[in-house]
Amino acid sequence: MLRRSGRLSLAAVVLMLSGQPGLAAGCSNRAATPQLVGPMIMAGFFGTKPSDPGFQQLLADLEEGLIGGVVILGRNVGTADDLTGMIERIRSCKCAAPPFIAIDDEGGTVERLGTNVGMAETPSAAEVARGSITAARSTYAALAGKLARLHININLAPVVDLNTNPSNPIIGQRQRSYGSDSDTVVRYAAAFVQAHRNRGILTVLKHFPGHGSSTADSHAGIADVTKTWSSSELKPYRRLMRRGLAGAIMVGHLAHAVRWGGVATQSGGHAIDRLLRRDLGYDGVVMTDDLAMKAILDAKPPAAAAVDAVKAGADIIMFTKFSDEDQTSDVGREINGALTEAVCSGEIEAGALQRSVARIRHWTSGWKPPGGRTPAQRHVSVAPLGTSAGGYGSRRSPG
């Protein structure tokens, strides 16, 4: 189970996991490997009610330990009662550990839970940054309180991209950045993170290595930032890391031919292993932006994309769908199968899997479920963790 107080050291978690059957030896225990892989997968689903087949399928994957958590998208938000009902079913699942239930509720154009479910709206990052830091703390305390009352335990935010290109179709034009200078971004992002921590909600900085200078939307295709990106876009990450406010970082589908090579979330790109891990010295959780985006699926099949993301250094794979036309495939089960096969074949190193699970557990060791309620537990060889996220609109992927 997740610890309710204190924080396990990363070294202790690695040592604990090294004795788990099948983990240190790759696939020596083939039957256990899917549960070892499970914590690394965040899955989406189609449906708005607890009775919908897509939700039932996702719930089964959680209880089998094939995924660690659920991604709640705009397409999943129907009535307030139905949303509450789905969350309660997840919280009471017969899972090995309390699953993550996450959403990307930044405010502004990325607002999942506002007047559509009878709740207050949250202003955009740009609007918040035009006010005082005191007002920002109040705004984000209200946002965190709203999520806590629903028992959502991860918010895939804040955006810490510098607004260096105001014409950027996915950051600047959507008012999702706090500003063009790192001081402003760090100050308001810190207020966001701290307000959520006060309510026991985990947060994720995004979109590493920096999406603010791009001229393209990674939902629609690869965002090549070779001609626009600058090292100043790393400053918010570096400073928030030093302040202990970077428990997890989301990596975008960004390419830079010189600085990190191929796409940051795919093997061949070195944004994670070199730029983030080696150069910045980060050893926290790294998750991908949604691999369902056209930037990825236009280039390769889902299974290959998931395996490549792990090989690139990601700890958590976010996959919300295979396509808008395919609303019946069991995304979590299929992605788990692809990663399991890659572990068993040696394509994914057992040591990399072990380190990823250790980071996930270290990140969550101090998490306290809102209200103190824990779900029914079942025994498995390794207790999966989970996470989830929300998308832009009814058809948008997270990010």
Side-chain angles (χ1 to χ4, degrees):
M1 284 184 60
L2 301 176
R3 285 185 53 175
R4 289 173 172 266
S5 62
R7 188 170 284 277
L8 294 171
S9 72
L10 184 57
V13 177
V14 173
L15 182 62
M16 175 183 70
L17 289 172
S18 65
Q20 295 292 348
L23 188 55
C27 203
S28 61
N29 187 339
R30 181 63 173 79
T33 304
Q35 282 70 45
L36 300 173
V37 169
M40 299 175 67
I41 302 171
M42 299 166 46
F45 67 100
F46 285 91
T48 59
K49 300 186 294 296
S51 59
D52 286 339
F55 178 78
Q56 291 294 317
Q57 183 174 268
L58 178 119
L59 193 63
D61 291 346
L62 281 170
E63 294 191 334
E64 289 183 45
L66 300 181
I67 60 175
V70 54
V71 182
I72 295 179
L73 300 169
R75 69 177 185 235
N76 305 126
V77 180
T79 69
D81 286 346
D82 284 336
L83 177 62
T84 300
M86 289 192 295
I87 291 174
E88 284 303 305
R89 289 291 302 276
I90 295 169
R91 292 181 67 230
S92 62
C93 72
K94 296 178 180 178
C95 298
F100 289 165
I101 308 163
I103 201 162
D104 62 336
D105 204 316
E106 304 168 13
T109 61
V110 187
E111 176 75 272
R112 300 296 140 252
L113 305 171
T115 56
N116 58 325
V117 286
M119 296 182 177
E121 299 281 351
T122 303
S124 70
E127 184 177 347
V128 168
R130 287 193 284 268
S132 69
I133 195 66
T134 299
R137 292 188 182 112
S138 177
T139 293
Y140 290 138
L143 170 59
K146 177 169 64 175
L147 301 187
R149 287 190 294 275
L150 285 169
H151 302 291
I152 290 170
N153 49 41
I154 289 183
N155 194 351
L156 294 186
V159 168
V160 296
D161 296 317
L162 300 184
N163 188 28
T164 55
N165 175 19
S167 298
N168 183 322
I170 199 62
I171 304 298
Q173 288 187 4
R174 288 180 172 267
Q175 303 287 296
R176 297 175 66 197
S177 170
Y178 292 112
S180 60
D181 70 283
S182 60
D183 288 343
T184 299
V185 171
V186 168
R187 187 161 60 249
Y188 287 94
F192 187 105
V193 173
Q194 289 165 340
H196 284 71
R197 283 191 175 180
N198 290 342
R199 298 305 296 263
I201 299 172
L202 301 175
T203 53
V204 183
L205 308 182
K206 62 185 185 184
H207 307 79
F208 188 86
H211 210 326
S213 66
S214 75
T215 59
D217 176 0
S218 55
H219 293 80
I222 295 296
D224 191 328
V225 296
T226 301
K227 296 180 179 180
T228 59
W229 186 87
S230 73
S231 59
S232 65
E233 297 182 58
L234 299 176
K235 288 182 180 179
Y237 295 97
R238 185 181 289 109
R239 293 175 59 185
L240 289 165
M241 287 176 202
R242 290 172 180 167
R243 295 178 61 175
L245 299 176
I249 291 175
M250 180 186 292
V251 178
H253 307 312
L254 306 164
H256 190 306
V258 177
R259 193 59 189 267
W260 60 84
V263 181
T265 56
Q266 298 289 282
S267 59
H270 296 287
I272 299 173
D273 61 350
R274 296 180 188 173
L275 191 58
L276 184 54
R277 298 286 191 209
R278 185 190 67 188
D279 296 352
L280 297 188
Y282 182 69
D283 198 32
V285 169
V286 173
M287 66 176 65
T288 69
D289 207 339
D290 190 0
L291 293 179
M293 294 180 184
K294 289 176 68 64
I296 300 302
L297 292 189
D298 276 358
K300 59 187 66 176
V307 171
D308 271 4
V310 174
K311 290 167 67 177
D315 301 308
I316 295 177
I317 305 304
M318 188 195 309
F319 231 125
T320 64
K321 62 184 178 183
F322 292 153
S323 71
D324 284 331
E325 294 71 34
D326 181 359
Q327 299 189 11
T328 60
S329 289
D330 192 334
V331 173
R333 187 176 299 272
E334 291 193 30
I335 296 304
N336 184 292
L339 295 184
T340 295
E341 182 58 35
V343 172
C344 291
S345 69
E347 185 177 2
I348 293 176
E349 296 180 2
L353 175 64
Q354 179 175 324
R355 288 188 293 273
S356 289
V357 175
R359 289 188 190 105
I360 295 167
R361 292 196 171 185
H362 183 246
W363 181 41
T364 59
S365 62
W367 172 57
K368 297 180 180 180
R373 177 181 172 185
T374 58
Q377 301 290 302
R378 65 176 177 83
H379 176 76
V380 295
S381 58
V382 175
L385 308 178
T387 183
S388 47
Y392 284 103
S394 61
R395 310 299 285 183
R396 278 282 196 177
S397 297

